Amino acid sequence: VCVWGQAEPLNSNGQNSLLEEEEEEEEEGEDLFTGSLSVPLVLSLSRSLSLSLSLSLSLFPSATEEVSLDSPERDVLLSDGPSPVTPPASLISPHLPHNHLYTHCSFDEMEEEDTPDLFDISILVSDPEKVGEGMNAYMAYKVTTQTSMSLFKSPQATVRRRFSDFLGLHGKLATRYLHVGYLVPPAPEKSIVGMTKVKVGKDDSSSNEFVEKRRAALERYLMRTAKHPVLLKDPDLLTFLECSELPRALSTQALSGAGILRMVNKAADAVNKMTIKMTESDTWFEEKQQKFENLDIQLRKLHCSLDSLVCHRKELSVNTALFAKSAAMLGNSEDHTALSRALSQLAEVEEKVEQLHQDQAGADFYLLAELLADYIRLIGSVKGVFDQRVRLWQRLQDSLLLLQKKRDAEAKLHANKPEKLQQARDDIRELEGKVQQGERDFEQISKTIRKELFRFEKERVTDFKEVIIKYLESLVQTQQQLIKYWEAFLPEAKAIS
Amino acid sequence: SLVQLACNSSKTRSVSVDLNNDTALIIDIPDALCERDKVKFTVHTKTTLSSFQKPDFSVPRQHEDFIWLHDTLVETEEYAGLIIPPAPPKPDFESPREKMHKLGEGEATMTKEEYTKMKQELEAEYLAVFKKTVQVHEVFLQRLSSHPILSKDRNFHIFLEYDQDLTVRRKNAKEMFGGFFKNMVKTADEVIISGIKEVDDFFEQEKTFLLDYYSKIKDSTIKAEKMTRSHKNVADDYIHISATLSSISADDSTAIKKHFEKLADLFEKLRKVEGRVASDQELKLTELLRYYMRDIQAAKDLLYRRARALADYENSNKALDKARLKSRDIPQAEEQQQLCLQKFDKLSESGKRELTSFKGRRVVAFRKNLIEMAELEIKHAKVMLTMIYRCLFDNAYAIMKLALNVVTSRPFP
């Protein structure tokens, strides 16, 4: 656990020792790789590597899953309704300066408890099936959960869910957790165009692609939600994964990812949102906010470039197919026998290459582009919780201001109006309570956000690393196949006499 | 505008087989200059033939001069039975020019590094177009110099040797011929060729073959060109992806930093190779197809001229019959008929020879280029595979090390 806890630096100031060690190691390792690697050596190395890699990834899952929350906090969080959560007083000491708690120790050491379960859960979304006809038709997806965790009734559960069910789940989780600073993963977006094609019954590649894109997005959504230690214990999530019947989620327009954020925003003082200038006492938040702004811009730019790549690679695939057909025709027309044969073989090679480009475009999209799209949406959530914290601060300031006014007013009042004085004192007491609550809320959300961002950054590292490896493997696959195809063609070309 | 390009002609020559076999006359284009849109080729001749004034000399020539030479050869009656090597196409910088325009427009949205790389790519593309046009003009001259009959053509020698501007001569020639013959060939050949009643099996087969093959190879050329262009687009996208990954990596302070850095580096390396794959494909495949498309058109032109000669012969027969009927002008009609028959026979004989050697030339060229293309594809794929493996190891190794927390000096046994 400690290894993972120290793996990432908590603040942007300087690297920690393990990172430096990593740098050193890589330089030593470089010895093996100087000069060009011969392909057979490289192939055998990759086999042993991928074996040990899959082993290591399964033995050492990210430490975030091993962190469990204190039980009293959990109970409190499970209460429904959008009212702010009141954590037990024992957990919060509002007067402690924030920096002290978080910069030098990992969260694991702070909140470690006997973990009841090692995080072990896999969720698959599969087998999309069209149900019904016409404009009332919808796609139903199979959701299979496999787990050894005691949270679940059984180690395997299979249910059928439709898209609005997912939106309904997300809606419940968002209303419950977003406003106190938890990063609730956003649900996939609705798409009127995409769904209409499916409803109308177009069985072409674009509507198939749409369904596949949605299926993959729903799977990632559930896994990301389940990976969250707080959300995993939410009864609505458990119900979603385990119960065969689910009450139909209504008015899902309001419950799309963007819709939820809008709702949460509206619940607070929307007018003030634009004009709030918070005096940030904690530079950590300022830094992080700036970082996420920058990251957002960069990820969007990268996503744009990847979109372009996917588009061009698909074009390449199409053009290769067209050329293949043309080369086949040319081969038929050629009257020199050996050349005719070679041209036909060329056409066959190009047909296979076309499929390679198509597959690579798929990897470009489903691995890289969709990951970036997910993170761009997640950063939207991050911005949302930052904004929520600012709103709580604003509320606190408003209460403080009002308290001061009432105190000033009370001071002016005198004994000649006893009922008014009493009323004023009652009011003040109430406001004092409100201020205390506001301070607690603000502390709580600040603490939660720090924890959430820590977990988020770790998950981001794991996610990206995993995807980068998978993507590189797809590139390897493509090049290996290319070599195979052209090596098979070469003797054909040489056979021309 | 680009500056002088010194290109090694033996390297760039690809679509035709060894043409400088006859050491009596060796021609190459060692360099060319590009000013605005005009390309000036330096045509260099080395010869042991006494018909030339000097053994080693160079002259500057423009594209229009090549066209003039080609057209005079086509118009020469004596060469009607030969396949005249196709004229080189006009230098076309449209594609890189368009790209440069787009680059200028998009400059604001790119980082300085990105812009520099895109500019490099653009310069490489200009260079590629340049090399292509030099090659194709060079091959034209070399086809002539290696042809037993055409290499002796007087206008060809003037082209090689005349150290003044050819513009004046060009204008005169145009006034003389007016390009009449050439235009006729372009519009009418298919109809005329298909229309004649063929008595010779060889020419019947050739006709069928060439007409069909021409349309197929034209289509293949267009499709190959589209395929190559898509490939270049993919390589260009890699530039942007690499640049953005670099920026993200620079701002990142987590363990991801290195992975992004390595991935950015990989994309940059890959795009160079992908660019080479695209341009090799263009040279070995697209240009090959394009060249033989034009060569087949030249062969079709030969069939056309022969068909015309046959038509003339048939007409002269009819005229002779008419003369005999009227008992007037019989000797002239007989003479005319003889001339037409001679011409037709000469064309048929020469044509058969030319078409047979053409097929041989085509097969050899296809073989050479297809082999080279396959070998290059394999080579580039292996290079890219090595790069990707390296990146994969660097990434995976880092994860593994972290997971196992093992400090060793050698990661693998």
Side-chain angles (χ1 to χ4, degrees):
Chain A
V1 169
C2 285
V3 172
W4 283 97
Q6 287 159 26
E8 334 299 347
L10 287 169
N11 53 34
S12 50
N13 306 330
Q15 318 263 341
N16 62 28
S17 58
L18 198 66
L19 217 59
E20 280 162 34
E21 228 182 328
E22 183 185 5
E23 271 177 300
E24 254 180 301
E25 274 312 297
E26 269 175 26
E27 261 147 35
E28 283 184 5
E30 299 263 297
D31 289 1
L32 194 64
F33 301 120
T34 49
S36 56
L37 284 166
S38 70
V39 176
L41 168 68
V42 145
L43 276 170
S44 63
L45 284 175
S46 87
R47 253 177 251 128
S48 61
L49 178 68
S50 54
L51 186 65
S52 37
L53 181 64
S54 50
L55 202 68
S56 57
L57 278 178
S58 62
L59 283 179
F60 298 96
S62 163
T64 55
E65 285 72 48
E66 294 175 359
V67 172
S68 76
L69 290 181
D70 302 314
S71 12
E73 202 170 351
R74 182 183 69 187
D75 287 330
V76 159
L77 278 171
L78 291 182
S79 65
D80 54 314
S83 56
V85 157
T86 316
S90 58
L91 223 57
I92 300 294
S93 34
H95 304 297
L96 220 65
H98 294 285
N99 310 357
H100 171 75
L101 282 175
Y102 309 124
T103 42
H104 297 295
C105 57
S106 73
F107 281 104
D108 315 330
E109 287 163 28
M110 245 189 70
E111 294 182 331
E112 214 165 275
E113 249 201 18
D114 289 310
T115 46
D117 283 310
L118 203 65
F119 178 79
D120 166 32
I121 179 170
S122 109
I123 304 176
L124 291 174
V125 175
S126 62
D127 302 298
E129 218 180 86
K130 187 165 163 205
V131 177
E133 284 303 323
M135 290 313 283
N136 289 326
Y138 62 90
M139 290 303 263
Y141 301 88
K142 190 161 90 174
V143 179
T144 312
T145 310
Q146 271 172 314
T147 176
S148 64
M149 297 175 82
S150 55
L151 264 179
F152 290 81
K153 293 195 201 121
S154 73
Q156 170 145 344
T158 305
V159 294
R160 290 203 80 80
R161 298 282 179 254
R162 52 184 292 185
F163 187 64
S164 53
D165 294 335
F166 288 82
L167 291 184
L169 170 69
H170 172 73
K172 295 204 181 92
L173 295 176
T175 40
R176 204 167 288 156
Y177 299 103
L178 258 184
H179 63 277
V180 283
Y182 285 99
L183 290 176
V184 178
E189 287 302 316
K190 291 195 99 177
S191 164
I192 298 173
V193 174
M195 260 331 273
T196 309
K197 271 201 201 155
V198 173
K199 286 185 207 228
V200 161
K202 272 190 102 184
D203 189 27
D204 64 356
S205 62
S206 74
S207 59
N208 287 342
E209 247 177 63
F210 170 78
V211 172
E212 172 55 27
K213 182 178 170 182
R214 175 161 280 189
R215 183 210 64 79
L218 291 173
E219 195 174 272
R220 290 193 310 272
Y221 165 69
L222 284 182
M223 273 307 283
R224 231 175 236 121
T225 307
K227 275 197 194 141
H228 195 298
V230 172
L231 298 179
L232 180 58
K233 293 168 179 150
D234 187 284
D236 278 311
L237 177 63
L238 297 170
T239 311
F240 182 92
L241 292 174
E242 291 182 310
C243 292
S244 46
E245 284 302 316
L246 211 63
R248 177 78 199 279
L250 302 160
S251 58
T252 52
Q253 273 101 341
L255 296 178
S256 69
I260 282 295
L261 277 179
R262 257 177 271 133
M263 205 164 81
V264 171
N265 290 348
K266 265 192 228 137
D269 299 332
V271 178
N272 283 341
K273 182 172 180 262
M274 293 309 285
T275 57
I276 292 179
K277 203 52 177 78
M278 173 171 169
T279 41
E280 185 60 77
S281 56
D282 191 349
T283 50
W284 187 93
F285 280 91
E286 226 173 274
E287 266 173 45
K288 285 292 176 187
Q289 205 146 359
Q290 190 57 48
K291 261 206 174 158
F292 277 103
E293 286 290 331
N294 290 344
L295 188 60
D296 187 36
I297 295 172
Q298 298 285 39
L299 287 183
R300 278 175 201 272
K301 190 167 176 223
L302 188 59
H303 185 255
C304 195
S305 303
L306 271 168
D307 258 351
S308 175
L309 176 65
V310 172
C311 184
H312 284 143
R313 232 198 269 275
K314 280 193 181 156
E315 232 174 66
L316 176 58
S317 170
V318 165
N319 287 339
T320 308
L322 289 174
F323 174 73
K325 286 199 186 75
S326 183
M329 302 260 296
L330 188 64
N332 282 342
S333 178
E334 176 62 60
D335 64 350
H336 186 275
T337 330
L339 180 55
S340 166
R341 201 183 128 84
L343 286 171
S344 305
Q345 298 286 42
L346 179 68
E348 268 179 44
V349 168
E350 296 289 2
E351 241 177 65
K352 291 187 191 140
V353 168
E354 167 221 344
Q355 189 56 47
L356 277 185
H357 289 314
Q358 184 80 339
D359 293 342
Q360 186 61 59
D364 294 340
F365 180 74
Y366 284 105
L367 289 176
L368 291 183
E370 285 287 78
L371 177 75
L372 289 174
D374 283 351
Y375 269 87
I376 291 168
R377 275 198 300 263
L378 276 167
I379 289 179
S381 289
V382 171
K383 286 188 186 172
V385 298
F386 273 123
D387 286 343
Q388 181 61 16
R389 177 174 172 272
V390 171
R391 250 177 258 116
L392 285 188
W393 179 86
Q394 183 64 47
R395 225 182 272 172
L396 179 61
Q397 301 310 308
D398 290 345
S399 304
L400 280 169
L401 218 65
L402 196 58
L403 180 63
Q404 192 56 43
K405 266 198 212 147
K406 289 268 174 172
R407 282 195 176 136
D408 291 343
E410 191 239 7
K412 291 202 188 117
L413 280 179
H414 275 301
N416 49 340
K417 290 189 183 149
E419 324 86 42
K420 277 229 170 112
L421 197 61
Q422 186 56 41
Q423 181 65 41
R425 290 211 178 113
D426 286 340
D427 284 347
I428 286 173
R429 214 166 298 132
E430 198 186 311
L431 270 174
E432 279 172 347
K434 215 172 168 190
V435 163
Q436 265 184 11
Q437 181 61 50
E439 279 174 348
R440 279 200 290 266
D441 289 345
F442 184 72
E443 297 284 342
Q444 181 60 35
I445 202 176
S446 300
K447 181 179 178 224
T448 306
I449 290 178
R450 278 176 184 271
K451 229 169 39 192
E452 284 291 278
L453 284 187
F454 177 70
R455 195 187 58 83
F456 175 77
E457 290 286 64
K458 268 210 202 164
E459 214 174 270
R460 179 164 78 96
V461 170
T462 315
D463 268 356
F464 275 85
K465 275 184 189 171
E466 253 178 58
V467 162
I468 287 175
I469 299 257
K470 281 199 194 131
Y471 182 72
L472 290 175
E473 283 174 351
S474 81
L475 289 178
V476 163
Q477 175 79 354
T478 300
Q479 296 305 321
Q480 279 177 336
Q481 290 296 96
L482 273 175
I483 293 174
K484 207 170 85 176
Y485 297 152
W486 287 109
E487 276 180 346
F489 173 73
L490 198 52
E492 293 292 340
K494 288 188 171 157
I496 304 170
S497 56
Chain B
S1 55
L2 295 176
V3 287
Q4 243 168 337
L5 166 75
C7 61
N8 188 338
S9 58
S10 62
K11 279 197 205 138
T12 57
R13 211 191 315 133
S14 74
V15 291
S16 252
V17 285
D18 265 335
L19 285 175
N20 267 342
N21 277 334
D22 182 11
T23 50
L25 185 62
I26 298 179
I27 304 176
D28 70 327
I29 300 182
D31 62 68
L33 195 70
C34 183
E35 267 167 20
R36 291 171 197 284
D37 281 351
K38 279 247 174 275
V39 182
K40 275 214 178 80
F41 303 94
T42 303
V43 178
H44 169 243
T45 310
K46 239 161 85 172
T47 178
T48 57
L49 296 174
S50 53
S51 43
F52 290 96
Q53 288 181 4
K54 287 185 264 183
D56 196 323
F57 51 91
S58 294
V59 291
R61 290 287 177 252
Q62 294 176 23
H63 169 72
E64 287 72 22
D65 299 330
F66 289 76
I67 301 303
W68 163 81
L69 177 59
H70 171 262
D71 289 353
T72 56
L73 294 174
V74 166
E75 307 278 348
T76 307
E77 190 73 30
E78 211 182 302
Y79 303 146
L82 307 176
I83 297 180
I84 311 292
K90 198 170 153 90
D92 179 19
F93 292 96
E94 185 55 48
S95 171
R97 203 176 301 135
E98 207 183 291
K99 235 174 150 173
M100 180 169 81
H101 191 70
K102 275 201 191 130
L103 184 65
E105 284 180 347
E107 187 179 353
T109 65
M110 301 184 205
T111 64
K112 189 159 172 279
E113 211 184 88
E114 237 173 307
Y115 181 74
T116 313
K117 295 219 174 93
M118 289 296 285
K119 222 173 104 182
Q120 272 175 10
E121 256 317 294
L122 193 61
E123 279 166 12
E125 215 177 290
Y126 256 107
L127 207 68
V129 171
F130 206 54
K131 275 191 176 157
K132 246 190 332 184
T133 196
V134 165
Q135 174 194 282
V136 98
H137 283 78
E138 192 181 72
V139 164
F140 171 70
L141 295 177
Q142 287 168 343
R143 280 280 297 276
L144 292 176
S145 70
S146 57
H147 194 285
I149 299 170
L150 292 172
S151 61
K152 299 194 175 72
D153 181 78
R154 185 168 163 271
N155 283 315
F156 181 44
H157 286 208
I158 291 173
F159 177 93
L160 292 174
E161 217 178 11
Y162 189 63
D163 58 1
Q164 309 277 320
D165 198 344
L166 279 178
T167 324
V168 177
R169 274 189 174 258
R170 285 203 322 238
K171 285 216 182 93
N172 292 342
K174 242 198 175 128
E175 276 155 20
M176 270 174 67
F177 299 120
F180 173 74
F181 199 71
K182 202 166 73 149
N183 286 337
M184 278 212 68
V185 168
K186 287 290 184 283
T187 52
D189 61 356
E190 301 249 343
V191 176
I192 302 250
I193 296 173
S194 331
I196 60 165
K197 210 167 57 184
E198 190 52 70
V199 289
D200 190 333
D201 257 351
F202 174 82
F203 283 100
E204 181 61 36
Q205 277 176 5
E206 281 301 305
K207 177 182 82 179
T208 315
F209 169 67
L210 286 177
L211 286 182
D212 182 42
Y213 201 73
Y214 180 74
S215 66
K216 301 279 162 43
I217 200 170
K218 187 167 175 192
D219 185 60
S220 295
T221 308
I222 295 171
K223 302 274 161 68
E225 196 173 24
K226 280 207 178 118
M227 188 171 69
T228 307
R229 200 166 308 156
S230 299
H231 220 125
K232 286 193 183 147
N233 286 339
V234 168
D236 281 346
D237 284 330
Y238 279 11
I239 296 180
H240 300 298
I241 292 173
S242 170
T244 314
L245 282 171
S246 272
S247 311
I248 298 180
S249 155
D251 292 340
D252 196 286
S253 57
T254 69
I256 268 209
K257 186 192 186 73
K258 276 231 176 68
H259 299 278
F260 274 1
E261 218 174 272
K262 295 212 157 80
L263 197 61
D265 191 44
L266 177 66
F267 269 105
E268 171 57 23
K269 290 201 187 98
L270 286 180
R271 69 109 179 158
K272 288 203 179 115
V273 185
E274 287 283 5
R276 250 170 265 149
V277 172
S279 63
D280 283 343
Q281 200 181 70
E282 181 168 32
L283 272 181
K284 303 291 171 189
L285 189 63
T286 312
E287 286 304 297
L288 170 77
L289 294 169
R290 203 197 306 277
Y291 186 80
Y292 279 95
M293 175 183 82
R294 286 184 281 117
D295 224 2
I296 287 180
Q297 180 62 48
K300 274 166 65 182
D301 291 348
L302 168 58
L303 284 185
Y304 167 77
R305 290 192 289 269
R306 181 177 165 274
R308 272 279 295 253
L310 182 58
D312 287 346
Y313 173 60
E314 280 169 0
N315 287 340
S316 74
N317 270 337
K318 286 192 195 124
L320 182 58
D321 289 342
K322 224 192 205 162
R324 284 195 175 130
L325 263 166
K326 290 190 182 153
S327 301
R328 232 185 32 202
D329 298 321
I330 296 179
Q332 292 109 302
E334 277 177 344
E335 197 187 319
Q336 184 64 17
Q337 191 230 41
Q338 278 309 301
L339 278 172
C340 284
L341 182 60
Q342 271 170 23
K343 182 171 166 206
F344 176 70
D345 283 342
K346 184 173 166 222
L347 280 189
S348 297
E349 190 196 318
S350 164
K352 202 176 245 178
R353 234 187 357 247
E354 288 277 301
L355 288 170
T356 310
S357 77
F358 170 60
K359 183 188 308 258
R361 205 172 57 230
R362 187 179 85 245
V363 170
V364 170
F366 267 75
R367 180 179 186 277
K368 176 173 180 279
N369 282 280
L370 288 177
I371 292 174
E372 282 173 4
M373 182 174 80
E375 286 173 345
L376 284 167
E377 289 270 357
I378 294 167
K379 175 178 145 203
H380 291 318
K382 283 188 173 160
V383 165
M384 287 201 273
L385 194 59
T386 309
M387 290 171 179
I388 301 164
Y389 268 131
R390 173 89 189 245
C391 189
L392 193 56
F393 284 166
D394 288 345
N395 273 284
Y397 174 55
I399 294 180
M400 239 179 69
K401 216 227 84 189
L402 230 51
L404 301 176
N405 201 18
V406 168
V407 178
T408 56
S409 53
R410 284 269 174 212
F412 304 103

